[in-house]
Amino acid sequence: MKRRAQGGHKYIFVVGGVMSGVGKGIATASIGKLLTARGLSVNLVKIDPYLNVDAGTMNPIEHGEVFVLDSGLETDQDMGNYERFLGRDEGPDDYMTSGMVYASVIARERNLGYGGKCVETIPHVRDEVIDRLKRAASVSGSDVSVIEIGGTVGDFQNALYVDAARVMHLLAPGDTLFVMVSYLPVPGTLGEMKTKPTQNAVRMLNSYGVQPDVIIARSKRPLDRKRKEKLAISCNVHPDMIISAPDVESIYDVPLNFERDKLSDILLEALGEEGKQPADLSVWKEFAEHAHDGDGRVKVGIVGKYFDTGDFVLSDAYISVIEALKFSAYAHGVHPELHWLNAKDYEADPSAVSELKEYDGILVPGGFGETGIDGKIAAVTFAREEKIPYFGLCYGMQLMTVEYARNVAGLTDAHTTEINPNTPHPVIMILPEQVEKLARKDFGGSMRLGAYPCELKKGTIAREAYGKDEVSERHRHRYEVNPEYIERLTKAGLVFSGVSPDRRLMEIAELPKKEHPFMLGTQFHPEFRARPLSPHPLFSAFIKAAVERKGKKKA
Ligand code: GLN
């Protein structure tokens, strides 16, 4: 039967088959990118089936970065990819966890909101999911919602969401599409691509009453015609609706690759939206090609507390920082060569810090707690004294302030009260509104979170980089520069080039250019606002300084 579009809001559900970690988030972001390129307005939604009410309470080294929205909601790292691919901000309605959904159903039940009914997962929790998806669509004002259901088909936890999608399809079959991102292994012993796991995954999805319209076939290699046909016949999906999605060098190639198999045509036709403008991906393509360019490197050392994790996990924990460095590096025609440097090594052997001399730039990212703290401060001292470009993000800014207080302003044993509550010079201290929250163990979603305005001081590196007087940046912290030390630190030469409009909170600290080529820290997280086609001005200024240092080293 030919599908007939019903003219309502369109919903595309993306589900995973066979196994996780094969790029469902990037596939969702890429679908959003392609539909946007065809002239549709899109909101991307992530559903995380876990019971945490948000992602803020999870350890990023184990679960990946906590991505903060303008609204202050702490979300999954996929939301960062969505914003970067779409080039637009995501709203708080574009994210849900099972914890969030159940919490609102339970709160409503406690208020007699169900009028004396027995409240059950089906239909009440499912209906709450549907309401949230509809609200996200209407709040964003988009034409199409692309919704990623976390996990893999067959998981106990995400069955609720698949069922919500089924019901939405039942109510508006012509306006709802299902895309399954599945994996086709090529076992080393056989050397042949196997379709059976995907056939089984589709059967599993069928058992929920859902038939996929499109299969995105992830594999090491491209899918050949023979396998497309085999999958088509066994999964009841037209061969043209099966997209070959081999491994690629860079995630930014994925939308371009999907378009080779005409994915946007397929989706638009299925949704009755044919006749839209052709996809113009030329600017994106030009950007994506930078990721392949071999020449030009800039060596950046990221100093942090790294446990015995591989690069694989770290790259998830710091994904927005890494991507922000890439965008600014590409804009300068170079590639960032990133090295993870364990701050603890500089504590065990203080002379080890001299290895930083080999770097073009040093970055201390956000962080919490005591581990490696002295090593990080030693790295800051080295960067300052050796005039190596330094960029501090949140904790990296606080520790830059501590270091300056101790070694330049003469405030012996200055510290952040996060580490030493009895320091004689608490140059970084807890935000007053945080004290009570911590005392009652109110840790969830309780930091200073989300977008706040920041006024920039004329004639500073920050003001010059941004090219405007006021900016808005996203925060996630409990501590800040102690107002009582601002005067002493300023007198000693530290410049607070960004402040909150009420002048109470110091948002950017830097050293004057005549003292140091680039020594700057931000209380906020600029990485959350870096986009492929509009790199972040402060990251770009840091990379520029690193490129200049590299040039000087060569000369
Ligand atoms: N631990 C510091 C604070 O809570 C820094 C937080 C961060 O780097 N995100 O203020």
Side-chain angles (χ1 to χ4, degrees), residues 350-403:
S351 71
V353 76
S354 64
E355 70 169 337
L356 294 175
K357 197 145 191 140
E358 300 308 312
Y359 287 82
D360 303 318
I362 298 165
L363 186 149
V364 173
F368 296 83
E370 190 161 16
T371 314
I373 194 95
D374 291 331
K376 288 185 195 177
I377 295 173
V380 178
T381 309
F382 193 80
R384 185 177 52 75
E385 291 180 346
E386 298 292 324
K387 303 203 187 307
I388 306 169
Y390 171 86
F391 196 15
L393 309 175
C394 204
Y395 215 16
M397 178 268 202
Q398 296 174 354
L399 298 180
M400 174 180 150
T401 308
V402 167
E403 194 279 331

Side-chain angles (χ1 to χ4, degrees), residues 105-318:
V105 170
I106 291 168
R108 186 169 158 196
E109 183 276 326
R110 293 288 80 187
N111 294 334
L112 285 180
Y114 292 97
K117 285 202 184 75
C118 170
V119 182
E120 306 201 66
T121 304
I122 304 292
H124 300 102
V125 182
R126 181 186 65 202
D127 288 351
E128 170 68 23
V129 172
I130 295 173
D131 286 350
R132 282 173 176 259
L133 292 175
K134 289 186 173 164
R135 190 164 67 232
S138 93
V139 168
S140 74
S142 67
D143 306 310
V144 187
S145 303
V146 187
I147 299 142
E148 177 186 352
I149 300 181
T152 310
V153 169
D155 290 349
F156 188 73
Q157 300 100 296
N158 66 13
L160 166 69
Y161 301 102
V162 178
D163 199 53
R166 177 188 67 79
V167 171
M168 289 177 78
H169 177 259
L170 185 70
L171 299 174
D175 291 338
T176 315
L177 272 186
F178 286 92
V179 175
M180 177 183 263
V181 179
S182 193
Y183 193 71
L184 286 86
V186 183
T189 44
L190 296 175
E192 186 196 329
M193 190 185 290
K194 303 305 285 178
T195 62
K196 184 73 72 183
T198 297
Q199 295 181 35
N200 287 336
V202 169
R203 233 161 256 151
M204 173 72 77
L205 187 62
N206 289 159
S207 74
Y208 290 106
V210 171
Q211 168 63 29
D213 300 282
V214 174
I215 295 177
I216 293 180
R218 286 280 299 112
S219 189
K220 250 195 339 224
R221 299 205 295 258
L223 195 69
D224 57 18
R225 191 74 206 168
K226 195 171 147 206
R227 272 168 197 82
K228 257 192 190 180
E229 276 161 9
K230 191 166 174 188
L231 265 188
I233 209 89
S234 56
C235 300
N236 214 11
V237 174
H238 192 282
D240 291 346
M241 309 276 270
I242 299 176
I243 306 295
S244 167
D247 289 350
V248 281
E249 208 181 314
S250 140
I251 54 171
Y252 301 108
D253 292 333
V254 172
L256 303 167
N257 241 19
F258 282 180
E259 218 29 15
R260 259 179 224 129
D261 269 5
K262 302 198 168 27
L263 180 60
S264 74
D265 278 345
I266 290 169
L267 295 173
L268 291 191
E269 197 192 322
L271 292 170
E273 292 278 349
E274 54 272 80
K276 290 276 172 195
Q277 64 189 50
D280 179 5
L281 291 164
S282 53
V283 181
W284 185 266
K285 200 166 168 198
E286 201 183 307
F287 152 74
E289 270 162 15
H290 281 295
H292 299 248
D293 286 346
D295 49 23
R297 290 265 179 283
V298 65
K299 193 169 163 183
V300 177
I302 304 186
V303 182
K305 58 164 180 186
Y306 305 127
F307 306 109
D308 299 324
T309 44
D311 280 1
F312 166 74
V313 185
L314 286 179
S315 58
D316 267 6
Y318 295 99

Side-chain angles (χ1 to χ4, degrees), residues 451-487:
Y452 286 90
C454 167
E455 287 179 0
L456 303 172
K457 190 169 167 185
K458 292 219 164 35
T460 59
I461 296 177
R463 171 67 183 71
E464 198 186 307
Y466 280 107
K468 48 182 161 177
D469 294 328
E470 193 183 303
V471 293
S472 164
E473 293 282 4
R474 297 181 188 169
H475 292 250
R476 183 170 189 258
H477 58 104
R478 293 192 200 277
Y479 296 79
E480 61 158 329
V481 175
N482 185 343
E484 288 185 10
Y485 283 90
I486 293 170
E487 209 184 307

